[in-house]
């Protein structure tokens, strides 16, 4: 079973809840790392634990949501084994998985509708890494 971890900032709480609920009948293990209220929070406090769970392989894929998607993406990408992709439409999510082997999708809550966010997540989850010529490039992403 694929283990998914979710986290957001205050701007992404509502969208995060909707996305988790949309997967209620799906065959995924899901963990919500917070927050649970729309009170202002600092996005790194939630993005770091999610990225750490991907880094140490206690989770397979992550879904991060903040107002623009940029802050959580920047934070998550500090980890060598995390490839967080900022996606504002499903086609970007597909390419992030196919070509970049992204393991975290970052969604900009203030710039996409709930329907588009759901499509982004579903595309991200159902798309596989193509490997081949992309494998060599992905191996060059992390700094050692």
């Amino acid at each position: 079973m694929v283990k998914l971890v979710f986290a957001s900032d205050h701007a992404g709480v509502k969208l995060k809840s909707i996305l988790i609920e949309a997967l209620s009948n799906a065959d995924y293990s899901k963990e919500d790392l917070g927050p649970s209220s729309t009170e202002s929070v600092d996005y790194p406090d939630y993005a770091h634990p999610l990225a750490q769970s991907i880094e140490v392989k206690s989770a397979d894929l992550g879904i991060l949501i903040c107002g623009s998607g940029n802050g959580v993406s920047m934070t998550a990408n500090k980890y060598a084994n995390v490839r967080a992709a900022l996606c504002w439409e499903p086609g970007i999510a597909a390419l992030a998985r196919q070509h970049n082997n992204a393991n975290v999708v970052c969604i900009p809550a203030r710039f996409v509708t709930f329907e588009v966010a759901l499509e982004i997540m579903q595309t991200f989850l159902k798309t596989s890494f193509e490997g081949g010529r992309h494998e060599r490039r992905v191996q060059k992403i992390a700094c050692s």
Side-chain angles (χ1 to χ4, degrees):
M1 179 176 293
V2 174
K3 181 171 183 188
L4 304 178
V5 284
F6 290 79
S8 70
D9 71 354
H10 52 280
V13 167
K14 185 175 180 183
L15 178 56
K16 177 176 53 120
S17 296
I18 290 169
L19 295 179
I20 291 170
E21 178 62 29
L23 292 175
S24 64
N25 295 325
D27 193 25
Y28 296 102
S29 165
K30 299 169 282 298
E31 183 177 3
D32 183 350
L33 300 177
S36 58
S37 102
T38 57
E39 282 188 43
S40 183
V41 297
D42 297 334
Y43 60 82
D45 294 342
Y46 297 91
H48 279 298
L50 183 141
Q52 288 167 350
S53 68
I54 300 294
E55 179 77 11
V56 301
K57 299 182 183 351
S58 64
D60 301 303
L61 297 171
I63 299 170
L64 278 169
I65 307 163
C66 76
S68 71
N70 281 306
V72 292
S73 177
M74 290 175 187
T75 303
N77 278 316
K78 299 297 181 197
Y79 295 80
N81 294 316
V82 172
R83 291 171 305 282
L86 173 56
C87 299
W88 56 93
E89 63 116 13
I92 301 293
L95 287 174
R97 291 284 290 148
Q98 291 168 338
H99 294 185
N100 310 116
N101 201 14
N103 50 18
V104 175
V105 64
C106 301
I107 301 174
R110 292 185 176 134
F111 295 90
V112 298
T113 63
F114 295 134
E115 294 79 16
V116 170
L118 181 60
E119 284 184 64
I120 291 167
M121 179 183 73
Q122 290 171 333
T123 300
F124 181 79
L125 294 176
K126 74 178 182 185
T127 305
S128 298
F129 180 50
E130 290 179 353
R133 71 185 189 278
H134 304 294
E135 183 66 40
R136 178 183 76 251
R137 297 167 185 156
V138 170
Q139 293 303 317
K140 294 179 178 184
I141 293 174
C143 296
S144 318

